[in-house]
Amino acid sequence: MSSSVQRKRIRKSPAARRAEIVEKAAEIALSEGLECITLRRIGEELDVRPGLVSHYFPSTEELVAEAFGSAATGELDTLLPAESAESVGGLDLGAGTSTGKGTSTGTGTGTLSATERLAGFFARTSGPAWNDISRLWINARHLTRYRPSLRDRVALQEAAWRGRLAAVIEDGVRRGEFRTQEEPSVVAVQILVVLDGLGADGGADADMLPPVVARMAMTWAERELGLERGVLGP
């Protein structure tokens, strides 16, 4: 006698279910693009009814904006963590190593200097993960012409990026590590503009650019902040 085993569904809390929906949407956004996000697609991916997805996000526009915000926030926290204790390229720099450029890369306390934090940021702005998020930013900015909710979310994320980077630069100026005639917020915008331009010009794939072009943002930052060439990366 044949028998069938029904898969037991687990009832998740509203917060957990919403987070699951956003996570899946962000995953699709990074791998395929924001246009590929639909309520039906998310339902299929999570094996739930589209009606359940629409319970949390009545419109696709809301889910697209939330997915972009989730992916962009995760990117920012990975590339430039808010806390000062970081690792650059997987190497713990809090133990007191040296760049060979006259700049210490650690105090022995586990807290990185502003120079180390900025170098860590640049070290992470290459590779497949960076290429994916660069393409997502290009995708999102294009769609803002038609999607007000996404436009607002892009503006919020841009402000968060500028604020996080400006805080590192301001910290470096205060410590005497950086010397610049511009306001930290201005320097932050300039660095991000160069990185955005490189992403767009290189098809959001820095690996395809000549090395001297790929490090343009670092070269500019070193010059603007009064650092020796090579301090922020090879």
Side-chain angles (χ1 to χ4, degrees):
M1 180 176 65
S2 63
S3 62
S4 61
V5 178
Q6 287 188 329
R7 184 174 55 187
K8 184 178 180 180
R9 292 185 177 274
I10 299 175
R11 182 178 294 277
K12 298 182 179 180
S13 69
R17 179 66 75 183
R18 188 180 191 280
E20 179 184 51
I21 291 171
V22 172
E23 181 180 6
K24 177 57 65 176
E27 179 183 310
I28 292 173
L30 283 167
S31 61
E32 301 177 39
L34 293 166
E35 298 93 336
C36 294
I37 296 174
T38 64
L39 302 184
R40 180 176 296 279
R41 171 71 184 281
I42 300 302
E44 292 174 351
E45 292 285 341
L46 297 178
D47 193 26
V48 299
R49 296 186 305 275
L52 178 62
V53 181
S54 65
H55 172 73
Y56 294 93
F57 295 95
S59 72
T60 300
E61 302 303 314
E62 293 179 42
L63 181 54
V64 166
E66 191 69 21
F68 170 75
S70 176
T73 297
E75 170 210 19
L76 176 57
D77 289 339
T78 297
L79 295 172
L80 193 58
E83 65 276 9
S84 59
E86 304 179 49
S87 294
V88 177
L91 174 65
D92 184 359
L93 296 179
T97 60
S98 172
T99 63
K101 294 290 184 177
T103 302
S104 169
T105 59
T107 62
T109 63
T111 300
L112 299 184
S113 67
T115 303
E116 292 161 350
R117 295 190 68 198
L118 191 56
F121 168 70
F122 282 121
R124 299 178 186 109
T125 55
S126 63
W130 170 255
N131 296 337
D132 286 345
I133 199 65
S134 292
R135 293 187 184 96
L136 181 61
W137 272 97
I138 293 172
N139 183 203
R141 284 173 172 141
H142 170 70
L143 294 178
T144 56
R145 294 185 295 172
Y146 321 109
R147 304 188 178 190
S149 296
L150 181 60
R151 181 170 60 244
D152 293 341
R153 187 57 61 93
V154 167
L156 285 174
Q157 289 299 323
E158 288 175 337
W161 270 80
R162 291 192 298 267
R164 185 78 60 87
L165 188 54
V168 174
I169 295 170
E170 184 176 3
D171 181 49
V173 171
R174 185 173 58 251
R175 292 169 179 248
E177 297 176 41
F178 303 152
R179 300 181 304 278
T180 178
Q181 300 299 314
E182 299 288 354
E183 290 293 325
S185 59
V186 173
V187 178
V189 170
Q190 291 172 322
I191 290 174
L192 292 174
V193 166
V194 175
L195 286 172
D196 285 343
L198 289 172
D201 187 64
D205 191 346
D207 298 333
M208 300 299 292
L209 299 171
V212 68
V213 176
R215 83 173 314 275
M216 278 180 63
M218 280 186 285
T219 300
W220 186 92
E222 288 165 348
R223 183 171 61 246
E224 180 61 31
L225 298 175
L227 301 171
E228 292 182 41
R229 181 180 172 84
V231 168
L232 295 179

PDB file of all heavy atoms in Angstrom, residues 35 61 139-151:
ATOM      1  N   GLU A  35      14.580  44.087 -11.733  1.00  0.00           N
ATOM      2  CA  GLU A  35      13.393  43.862 -12.563  1.00  0.00           C
ATOM      3  C   GLU A  35      12.860  42.443 -12.434  1.00  0.00           C
ATOM      4  O   GLU A  35      11.693  42.188 -12.771  1.00  0.00           O
ATOM      5  CB  GLU A  35      13.719  44.122 -14.044  1.00  0.00           C
ATOM      6  CG  GLU A  35      14.143  45.549 -14.369  1.00  0.00           C
ATOM      7  CD  GLU A  35      15.656  45.710 -14.322  1.00  0.00           C
ATOM      8  OE1 GLU A  35      16.323  44.911 -13.640  1.00  0.00           O
ATOM      9  OE2 GLU A  35      16.147  46.631 -14.985  1.00  0.00           O
ATOM     10  N   GLU A  61       6.647  47.212  -6.056  1.00  0.00           N
ATOM     11  CA  GLU A  61       7.505  48.383  -5.895  1.00  0.00           C
ATOM     12  C   GLU A  61       8.072  48.466  -4.482  1.00  0.00           C
ATOM     13  O   GLU A  61       9.248  48.787  -4.287  1.00  0.00           O
ATOM     14  CB  GLU A  61       6.710  49.662  -6.205  1.00  0.00           C
ATOM     15  CG  GLU A  61       6.113  49.710  -7.597  1.00  0.00           C
ATOM     16  CD  GLU A  61       7.163  49.550  -8.675  1.00  0.00           C
ATOM     17  OE1 GLU A  61       8.220  50.216  -8.583  1.00  0.00           O
ATOM     18  OE2 GLU A  61       6.943  48.746  -9.595  1.00  0.00           O
ATOM     19  N   ASN A 139      21.826  49.422 -11.792  1.00  0.00           N
ATOM     20  CA  ASN A 139      20.462  48.985 -12.056  1.00  0.00           C
ATOM     21  C   ASN A 139      19.452  49.843 -11.299  1.00  0.00           C
ATOM     22  O   ASN A 139      18.462  50.347 -11.862  1.00  0.00           O
ATOM     23  CB  ASN A 139      20.356  47.524 -11.644  1.00  0.00           C
ATOM     24  CG  ASN A 139      19.002  46.884 -11.932  1.00  0.00           C
ATOM     25  OD1 ASN A 139      18.626  45.898 -11.297  1.00  0.00           O
ATOM     26  ND2 ASN A 139      18.252  47.403 -12.880  1.00  0.00           N
ATOM     27  N   ALA A 140      19.705  50.058 -10.012  1.00  0.00           N
ATOM     28  CA  ALA A 140      18.778  50.821  -9.171  1.00  0.00           C
ATOM     29  C   ALA A 140      18.681  52.277  -9.617  1.00  0.00           C
ATOM     30  O   ALA A 140      17.583  52.846  -9.695  1.00  0.00           O
ATOM     31  CB  ALA A 140      19.222  50.753  -7.714  1.00  0.00           C
ATOM     32  N   ARG A 141      19.811  52.880  -9.913  1.00  0.00           N
ATOM     33  CA  ARG A 141      19.789  54.288 -10.325  1.00  0.00           C
ATOM     34  C   ARG A 141      19.049  54.477 -11.646  1.00  0.00           C
ATOM     35  O   ARG A 141      18.380  55.486 -11.847  1.00  0.00           O
ATOM     36  CB  ARG A 141      21.215  54.815 -10.423  1.00  0.00           C
ATOM     37  CG  ARG A 141      21.818  55.101  -9.042  1.00  0.00           C
ATOM     38  CD  ARG A 141      23.258  55.467  -9.117  1.00  0.00           C
ATOM     39  NE  ARG A 141      23.763  55.925  -7.812  1.00  0.00           N
ATOM     40  CZ  ARG A 141      24.944  55.631  -7.329  1.00  0.00           C
ATOM     41  NH1 ARG A 141      25.789  54.875  -8.032  1.00  0.00           N
ATOM     42  NH2 ARG A 141      25.327  56.086  -6.145  1.00  0.00           N
ATOM     43  N   HIS A 142      19.156  53.499 -12.522  1.00  0.00           N
ATOM     44  CA  HIS A 142      18.407  53.571 -13.770  1.00  0.00           C
ATOM     45  C   HIS A 142      16.904  53.511 -13.512  1.00  0.00           C
ATOM     46  O   HIS A 142      16.130  54.290 -14.080  1.00  0.00           O
ATOM     47  CB  HIS A 142      18.827  52.422 -14.685  1.00  0.00           C
ATOM     48  CG  HIS A 142      17.951  52.260 -15.890  1.00  0.00           C
ATOM     49  ND1 HIS A 142      17.930  53.166 -16.925  1.00  0.00           N
ATOM     50  CD2 HIS A 142      17.038  51.294 -16.212  1.00  0.00           C
ATOM     51  CE1 HIS A 142      17.055  52.769 -17.841  1.00  0.00           C
ATOM     52  NE2 HIS A 142      16.496  51.649 -17.429  1.00  0.00           N
ATOM     53  N   LEU A 143      16.499  52.624 -12.616  1.00  0.00           N
ATOM     54  CA  LEU A 143      15.070  52.434 -12.355  1.00  0.00           C
ATOM     55  C   LEU A 143      14.448  53.556 -11.527  1.00  0.00           C
ATOM     56  O   LEU A 143      13.216  53.666 -11.473  1.00  0.00           O
ATOM     57  CB  LEU A 143      14.843  51.099 -11.643  1.00  0.00           C
ATOM     58  CG  LEU A 143      15.164  49.836 -12.454  1.00  0.00           C
ATOM     59  CD1 LEU A 143      14.949  48.590 -11.599  1.00  0.00           C
ATOM     60  CD2 LEU A 143      14.314  49.773 -13.716  1.00  0.00           C
ATOM     61  N   THR A 144      15.260  54.383 -10.883  1.00  0.00           N
ATOM     62  CA  THR A 144      14.698  55.458 -10.055  1.00  0.00           C
ATOM     63  C   THR A 144      13.898  56.455 -10.882  1.00  0.00           C
ATOM     64  O   THR A 144      13.071  57.177 -10.332  1.00  0.00           O
ATOM     65  CB  THR A 144      15.801  56.221  -9.298  1.00  0.00           C
ATOM     66  OG1 THR A 144      16.772  56.727 -10.229  1.00  0.00           O
ATOM     67  CG2 THR A 144      16.483  55.325  -8.283  1.00  0.00           C
ATOM     68  N   ARG A 145      14.141  56.480 -12.169  1.00  0.00           N
ATOM     69  CA  ARG A 145      13.373  57.393 -13.026  1.00  0.00           C
ATOM     70  C   ARG A 145      11.903  57.018 -13.071  1.00  0.00           C
ATOM     71  O   ARG A 145      11.043  57.850 -13.343  1.00  0.00           O
ATOM     72  CB  ARG A 145      13.946  57.385 -14.449  1.00  0.00           C
ATOM     73  CG  ARG A 145      15.346  57.953 -14.552  1.00  0.00           C
ATOM     74  CD  ARG A 145      15.793  58.022 -15.985  1.00  0.00           C
ATOM     75  NE  ARG A 145      15.915  56.695 -16.581  1.00  0.00           N
ATOM     76  CZ  ARG A 145      16.140  56.473 -17.880  1.00  0.00           C
ATOM     77  NH1 ARG A 145      16.237  57.504 -18.713  1.00  0.00           N
ATOM     78  NH2 ARG A 145      16.259  55.248 -18.343  1.00  0.00           N
ATOM     79  N   TYR A 146      11.622  55.742 -12.806  1.00  0.00           N
ATOM     80  CA  TYR A 146      10.249  55.254 -12.918  1.00  0.00           C
ATOM     81  C   TYR A 146       9.642  54.807 -11.596  1.00  0.00           C
ATOM     82  O   TYR A 146       8.424  54.602 -11.526  1.00  0.00           O
ATOM     83  CB  TYR A 146      10.192  54.057 -13.891  1.00  0.00           C
ATOM     84  CG  TYR A 146      11.078  54.195 -15.095  1.00  0.00           C
ATOM     85  CD1 TYR A 146      12.231  53.416 -15.224  1.00  0.00           C
ATOM     86  CD2 TYR A 146      10.783  55.101 -16.100  1.00  0.00           C
ATOM     87  CE1 TYR A 146      13.050  53.539 -16.332  1.00  0.00           C
ATOM     88  CE2 TYR A 146      11.602  55.219 -17.214  1.00  0.00           C
ATOM     89  CZ  TYR A 146      12.735  54.441 -17.328  1.00  0.00           C
ATOM     90  OH  TYR A 146      13.554  54.573 -18.420  1.00  0.00           O
ATOM     91  N   ARG A 147      10.461  54.645 -10.569  1.00  0.00           N
ATOM     92  CA  ARG A 147       9.967  54.060  -9.325  1.00  0.00           C
ATOM     93  C   ARG A 147      10.297  54.964  -8.130  1.00  0.00           C
ATOM     94  O   ARG A 147      11.410  54.932  -7.599  1.00  0.00           O
ATOM     95  CB  ARG A 147      10.581  52.675  -9.128  1.00  0.00           C
ATOM     96  CG  ARG A 147      10.313  51.746 -10.320  1.00  0.00           C
ATOM     97  CD  ARG A 147      10.741  50.331 -10.042  1.00  0.00           C
ATOM     98  NE  ARG A 147      10.444  49.454 -11.164  1.00  0.00           N
ATOM     99  CZ  ARG A 147      10.534  48.134 -11.144  1.00  0.00           C
ATOM    100  NH1 ARG A 147      10.910  47.526 -10.019  1.00  0.00           N
ATOM    101  NH2 ARG A 147      10.253  47.408 -12.213  1.00  0.00           N
ATOM    102  N   PRO A 148       9.327  55.762  -7.708  1.00  0.00           N
ATOM    103  CA  PRO A 148       9.549  56.712  -6.605  1.00  0.00           C
ATOM    104  C   PRO A 148      10.028  56.064  -5.310  1.00  0.00           C
ATOM    105  O   PRO A 148      10.896  56.608  -4.626  1.00  0.00           O
ATOM    106  CB  PRO A 148       8.170  57.356  -6.427  1.00  0.00           C
ATOM    107  CG  PRO A 148       7.506  57.206  -7.755  1.00  0.00           C
ATOM    108  CD  PRO A 148       7.972  55.882  -8.268  1.00  0.00           C
ATOM    109  N   SER A 149       9.463  54.899  -4.958  1.00  0.00           N
ATOM    110  CA  SER A 149       9.868  54.239  -3.719  1.00  0.00           C
ATOM    111  C   SER A 149      11.336  53.855  -3.769  1.00  0.00           C
ATOM    112  O   SER A 149      12.081  54.013  -2.788  1.00  0.00           O
ATOM    113  CB  SER A 149       9.018  52.989  -3.471  1.00  0.00           C
ATOM    114  OG  SER A 149       7.664  53.330  -3.267  1.00  0.00           O
ATOM    115  N   LEU A 150      11.775  53.366  -4.907  1.00  0.00           N
ATOM    116  CA  LEU A 150      13.175  52.995  -5.068  1.00  0.00           C
ATOM    117  C   LEU A 150      14.060  54.236  -5.070  1.00  0.00           C
ATOM    118  O   LEU A 150      15.152  54.216  -4.497  1.00  0.00           O
ATOM    119  CB  LEU A 150      13.364  52.206  -6.365  1.00  0.00           C
ATOM    120  CG  LEU A 150      14.784  51.731  -6.672  1.00  0.00           C
ATOM    121  CD1 LEU A 150      15.305  50.820  -5.567  1.00  0.00           C
ATOM    122  CD2 LEU A 150      14.820  51.017  -8.025  1.00  0.00           C
ATOM    123  N   ARG A 151      13.584  55.304  -5.669  1.00  0.00           N
ATOM    124  CA  ARG A 151      14.352  56.555  -5.683  1.00  0.00           C
ATOM    125  C   ARG A 151      14.615  57.052  -4.269  1.00  0.00           C
ATOM    126  O   ARG A 151      15.737  57.455  -3.938  1.00  0.00           O
ATOM    127  CB  ARG A 151      13.607  57.624  -6.481  1.00  0.00           C
ATOM    128  CG  ARG A 151      14.361  58.955  -6.563  1.00  0.00           C
ATOM    129  CD  ARG A 151      13.722  59.900  -7.555  1.00  0.00           C
ATOM    130  NE  ARG A 151      12.350  60.232  -7.222  1.00  0.00           N
ATOM    131  CZ  ARG A 151      11.297  59.907  -7.965  1.00  0.00           C
ATOM    132  NH1 ARG A 151      11.445  59.235  -9.094  1.00  0.00           N
ATOM    133  NH2 ARG A 151      10.078  60.258  -7.592  1.00  0.00           N
TER     134      ARG A 151
END
